[in-house]
Amino acid sequence: MSRMEIAMTNAIQAGTVHYAGSDGAQIEAYLAVPLDDAPRGGVVLVHHLPGYDEATREFARTFAVHGYNAVVPNLYSREGGPGIAHEDAAAAVRAAGGVSDERLIADVDSAASYLRGLPTANGKVGVIGYCSGGRQALLAACALDLQAAVDNYGAFVMSDSPASAGLRATSLESRLPGLSCPLLGNFGGDDAHPSPAEIEQLAEALEKLGKTYDFKTYEGAGHAFFNVNRVSYRAEAAMDAWDRIFAFYKQHLS
């Protein structure tokens, strides 16, 4: 292998794209793709409540390096626009309690369609989210035809959010029969939202429905243990969870 070939191994291209949402709105998104022409699965990343941030876009680049087409739709695109900072759009949405479930489902559906339309798409799409995005990833998988879903410490799946949460979210228990694909879950044993008790409740519900799931709880880890920019980051738990995610997607998106 030449130096040039070595240099191009795992090469990716990433940047901002725009595509039409189901309501005709122009959705801003961050796309990261490998540069080779091999057919591959796609991953929709659902950002957390704070918004369309650099950390989530970095996750997209990580998936591209590992051989997936990855897109992060800006769920707050409609609140944004020329001259409006991402942070200001996010603040407006948070003040309103977050995006509605139906709008979220439609936006993930548009993102999945966009991925399936790429020249290197193999037709398989997974979804992943963290915090509020973890709940929304599961929500999308219960409403759409997807091939794999990953919920990283998504709260308010089996219960409604309290008024103090800053997020208006209702239980997804009634939607669980619609889960279309295997579900991977990574959770913190010291997390309060979701608590270990809520995760156990979710597992019991999925078991009764005959759904395929694989949950792991990391003792000593709390909420946002993936986020390297927070004191909550737990390297050992995060690295193990990444290994689980890559193995899961290799099984279901290849």
Side-chain angles (χ1 to χ4, degrees), residues 23-254:
D23 60 354
Q26 280 296 299
I27 304 299
E28 176 187 24
Y30 187 80
L31 177 69
V33 298
L35 287 180
D36 64 81
D37 295 328
R40 58 181 61 90
V43 178
V44 178
L45 291 97
V46 184
H47 62 69
H48 57 173
L49 187 62
Y52 178 73
D53 59 3
E54 176 56 34
T56 312
R57 296 196 291 274
E58 174 63 25
F59 290 153
R61 294 190 291 271
T62 299
F63 280 115
V65 168
H66 282 78
Y68 298 95
N69 295 327
V71 69
V72 185
N74 182 356
L75 303 178
Y76 309 155
S77 291
R78 295 167 186 81
E79 288 73 25
I84 300 176
H86 291 144
E87 295 80 5
D88 293 336
V93 176
R94 290 199 303 272
V99 301
S100 71
D101 285 351
E102 296 310 315
R103 183 170 123 177
L104 180 282
I105 291 167
D107 280 358
V108 172
D109 192 23
S110 297
S113 296
Y114 178 80
L115 287 173
R116 290 192 178 105
L118 295 178
T120 56
N122 68 3
K124 298 179 180 180
V125 174
V127 63
I128 186 171
Y130 308 80
C131 190
S132 62
R135 174 191 177 275
Q136 291 169 325
L138 175 54
L139 167 66
C142 290
L144 303 173
D145 182 15
L146 300 171
Q147 283 65 60
V150 181
D151 170 6
N152 294 297
Y153 42 84
F156 313 123
V157 169
M158 301 300 289
S159 61
D160 297 347
S161 61
S164 60
L167 171 70
R168 286 200 290 271
T170 56
S171 169
L172 300 182
E173 186 171 7
S174 65
R175 293 183 180 263
L176 294 179
L179 181 61
S180 62
C181 60
L183 174 67
L184 185 75
N186 298 304
F187 307 100
D190 295 343
D191 202 344
H193 300 294
S195 67
E198 184 174 358
I199 300 311
E200 183 176 352
Q201 186 182 1
L202 174 58
E204 290 175 354
L206 294 172
E207 192 73 30
K208 289 180 181 178
L209 291 168
K211 301 298 184 180
T212 300
Y213 68 96
D214 178 7
F215 289 175
K216 185 169 183 177
T217 297
Y218 295 92
E219 298 305 324
H223 200 69
F225 67 82
F226 262 95
N227 195 327
V228 298
N229 297 316
R230 294 189 182 184
V231 295
S232 57
Y233 178 64
R234 295 294 179 269
E236 186 174 350
M239 289 189 296
D240 184 76
W242 271 119
D243 288 343
R244 283 166 45 78
I245 292 166
F246 292 134
F248 180 70
Y249 277 159
K250 182 177 181 180
Q251 178 182 0
H252 298 292
L253 298 184
S254 297

Side-chain angles (χ1 to χ4, degrees), residues 6-33:
I6 292 173
M8 290 302 291
T9 300
N10 296 332
I12 68 169
Q13 180 176 352
T16 301
V17 296
H18 294 83
Y19 53 82
S22 61
D23 60 354
Q26 280 296 299
I27 304 299
E28 176 187 24
Y30 187 80
L31 177 69
V33 298

